[in-house]
Amino acid sequence: MASKVFQDGAKIPDLPGFMGLGHLRYPTSGTSSNAESQPFYVSSPYGLLFSHNGNLLDTQKLKEYLDFEAHRHINTDSDSEIMLNVFASELIQTNKRRVDEEDLFVGLERMYQRTVGGFAICGMVAGFAIIGARDPYGIRPLVLGSRLNKDGQGMDYMMASESVALDQLGFTNVIDVKPGEAVIIPKGKEPVFRQVHPSLAYAPDIFEYCYFSRPDSVIDGISVYQSRQRMGLKLAQTIRTTLGQDVVDSIDIVVPIPETSTISALSVAQTLQRPYCQAFVKNRYIFRTFIMPGQEKRRKGVRSKLNAMRSEFKDRNVLLIDDRWVKAGLETNEHEQANIEKYSESLEICSMAREAGAKKVYFASCSPSITHPHIYGIDLASSSELIAHERDRQSIAAHINADDVIYQSLVDLEAACAELSPRMNQRFEVGMFCGKYVTPVSEGYLEHLDRIRGQQGCFQKGAVAVAAARGLGRVNDSDADGVDSEEERGAASSAYEEQAISGMSKQGLEAPVMTEQMDISLHNIGDYGER
């Protein structure tokens, strides 16, 4: 989509300047409003821009700091804007007309002292320098590369989340920014590195390897492609142990769910000595469905994204290989008397295989069961929406219309990646599989996350309702603040909306209408009345 925005590169020569900063939109904190599109910019001090990949866990505390101490106004609910303003508030303490590299490093050090979470940031000081930094645990990836510029007289530098972005543009000497490390690239100079916070761990998010990253990327010295090969080898052994050799021998084809599982599925097929068949064909024009808002949209998205070839499924026992388990979704009816099952991607996939004529369907995942929310910038689900939440294998198989399911063990998943690491005793962020996160998580944070993510509704209704209700004194700060992710915002619930609109009607006011272009003046509406 970015290529379309720039007309496949045709608009690039029209962009003035010698520095650039971009961000591919996938909101995990705040909302999906255009007002929260990155990069964020503040003119004071020095003209600062930030792009941020990740999630902060202490946004409410930071909001209070910015409001009561730094006296900086926040226009949105994005934690990226919060982080930018925390950095800006530290830089303004220099009281200088222009800053240098030392000032920026000191500002970053102080910003790190105030923030907790997993993040990688790229920023810019207008006319002076590009900035890159990574959280002290190394959860979110960040790489830097270089190349000779067109006139051959100097160097170009580029930072990105994945090495493949640099590879495709001819950048070499690609290095990983280390945990707690920052890099500043002043105009016309070489990069300057500094450890702005002690490294607290070297624990990249393992979800990057099993699903999120492209296979041709190398993250922290570990090849994503090779890690997925090893995941397949280890999964094959688990499949053989779980199903037994007789069932394995009865499998006619091993089928990947395109595209991230194709590498692992091939390893599974080779290890089990069963035929490999790409019986699902992916529509190249449908993008990732697991981040779509709402189960119904995800269900339709799966049907649009994949097509099952009847000729390959008919009258066969099939082993489907996927890369991850995400959402299943249960909700209670209005009387809370029964649980109503909602569609999951896995259910749709297994049902499509059966509709195409499969006799038996076995479903294997390259990842362990996801039992806890992801809190560092990949917006999956609340715990209750996760397919493995309080279920055993048999109930999961019944739920997704499979004859059996097999999970990769967490030990094997970590080993598949760690065996390729250049570091000894490599750790990973695996909290969504076991509930043990690498960063401190404040008491009540996960419950808060579950409560907000589990509510239904959409941001377009909820954000206005909360803002309006707060302005009229109808909703407490404790109910509305600290809402951090896109699906969390999706759930500033209809109860808030009804309360807000009712209150406005009593005062003769017309309820505001949320549009795609969010009016940022709605944010903090009524704040002065609350003080």
Side-chain angles (χ1 to χ4, degrees), residues 69-90:
E69 297 183 43
H71 307 306
R72 298 189 68 90
H73 180 76
I74 303 298
N75 291 313
T76 73
D77 289 307
S78 170
D79 58 351
S80 305
E81 188 189 14
I82 291 173
M83 181 175 268
L84 168 59
N85 276 274
V86 171
F87 181 51
S89 72
E90 300 297 346

Side-chain angles (χ1 to χ4, degrees), residues 18-21 49 104 121-132 144 157-159 183-187 191-192:
F18 53 89
M19 297 188 294
L21 191 63
L49 296 93
L104 296 178
I121 55 177
C122 288
M124 181 191 299
V125 181
F128 174 59
I130 290 287
I131 302 168
L144 168 70
Y157 297 97
M158 180 177 176
M159 284 182 282
V183 55
I184 295 173
I185 312 173
K187 177 185 177 182
V192 182

